[in-house]
Amino acid sequence: MEDGIAALPEPPYYAVIFTSLRHETRDGDGYEETAQRMFELAAEQPGCLGIETAREGVGITVGYFVDESAIRSWKEHAEHVTAQERGRAEWYDHYAVRVAKVERAYEFRRGARRAAG
Amino acid sequence: MEDGIAALPEPPYYAVIFTSLRHETRDGDGYEETAQRMFELAAEQPGCLGIETAREGVGITVGYFVDESAIRSWKEHAEHVTAQERGRAEWYDHYAVRVAKVERAYEFRRGARRAAG
């Protein structure tokens, strides 16, 4: 994860794909701090395998979890629930969450043999 | 997809999560043109349901497909194969591809009732 790409075990595991569009970009609305905090907090959750994020107009964050139970626990985490509520009330115009089971994966690294997957 | 978030049917369907780190950012290396072309070409493929992309240091592109066969056809598309080869030779230091089956999804839109999923 050091370079922004999660280092994950062999599949299967779960991915939560969170794609979002901000309501408006405004300093001081608490969004950046909360987004950063949620990124760090998610990464610390039991069963979280890694997390990747990028925003360029649309934001895409993918969290990887060992199973559905770990996803549910994170969704119900008190601080995360508060952030979700503020997200709907203040920050987002539109978002979509897709929960998916990763069945296979492969990787390329410059100068390395291609990792299995 | 008008706002960058793919409008998708009810699950199940497949997601291909492509997370990448550029080798270096350099104008005139053909990356931006090819990335844009691949985005448009992927969206046109039979069985492609939508595509989302953002780059902010790391790039995350998620393509949604009806099934594994549609994913394979896109992976083997001649122009895409050439782009993949240039990606490994010139553009990327590191990338990961995760192929996942979307099992459930939900959405929020400001001012709308929450869509089913």
Side-chain angles (χ1 to χ4, degrees):
Chain A
M1 176 53 213
E2 63 207 31
D3 67 357
I5 300 178
L8 299 173
E10 290 298 301
Y13 47 81
Y14 277 81
V16 179
I17 307 164
F18 175 67
T19 308
S20 64
L21 194 69
R22 291 286 309 276
H23 181 46
E24 56 183 42
T25 304
R26 187 155 50 82
D27 284 348
D29 67 356
Y31 171 76
E32 292 297 343
E33 298 84 338
T34 303
Q36 180 62 29
R37 169 72 180 150
M38 288 305 113
F39 184 89
E40 291 165 6
L41 194 61
E44 289 170 5
Q45 295 310 298
C48 182
L49 297 167
I51 183 166
E52 298 167 341
T53 192
R55 177 168 294 281
E56 186 187 2
V58 70
I60 304 176
T61 298
V62 188
Y64 300 95
F65 294 86
V66 292
D67 56 23
E68 278 270 21
S69 165
I71 294 171
R72 196 160 45 243
S73 296
W74 168 232
K75 186 173 162 64
E76 293 169 358
H77 185 291
E79 199 175 333
H80 188 202
V81 167
T82 302
Q84 291 169 59
E85 290 168 352
R86 287 195 68 188
R88 288 188 290 269
E90 300 175 48
W91 296 320
Y92 296 119
D93 266 347
H94 184 190
Y95 66 69
V97 177
R98 285 92 179 211
V99 179
K101 185 176 189 177
V102 178
E103 297 179 346
R104 57 191 180 85
Y106 55 94
E107 195 171 9
F108 164 81
R109 254 178 223 276
R110 184 163 302 279
R113 280 186 295 276
R114 187 187 294 217
Chain B
M1 179 51 214
E2 63 207 31
D3 67 357
I5 300 179
L8 300 173
E10 290 297 301
Y13 47 81
Y14 277 81
V16 179
I17 306 163
F18 174 66
T19 309
S20 64
L21 195 69
R22 291 285 309 276
H23 181 45
E24 57 184 42
T25 303
R26 186 156 49 83
D27 284 349
D29 68 356
Y31 172 77
E32 292 296 342
E33 298 84 338
T34 304
Q36 179 63 29
R37 169 70 180 152
M38 288 305 113
F39 184 89
E40 291 166 7
L41 194 61
E44 289 171 7
Q45 294 310 297
C48 181
L49 297 168
I51 183 166
E52 298 167 341
T53 192
R55 177 169 293 280
E56 185 187 4
V58 71
I60 305 177
T61 298
V62 187
Y64 300 95
F65 294 86
V66 292
D67 56 24
E68 279 270 22
S69 165
I71 294 170
R72 195 160 46 245
S73 295
W74 168 234
K75 186 173 162 64
E76 293 169 0
H77 184 291
E79 199 174 333
H80 188 203
V81 167
T82 302
Q84 291 170 59
E85 289 168 353
R86 288 195 68 188
R88 288 187 291 269
E90 300 175 48
W91 297 319
Y92 296 120
D93 266 348
H94 184 189
Y95 66 69
V97 177
R98 286 92 179 212
V99 179
K101 186 174 188 177
V102 177
E103 298 180 345
R104 57 190 179 87
Y106 55 95
E107 194 170 11
F108 164 80
R109 253 178 222 278
R110 184 164 301 280
R113 281 185 296 274
R114 188 185 295 215

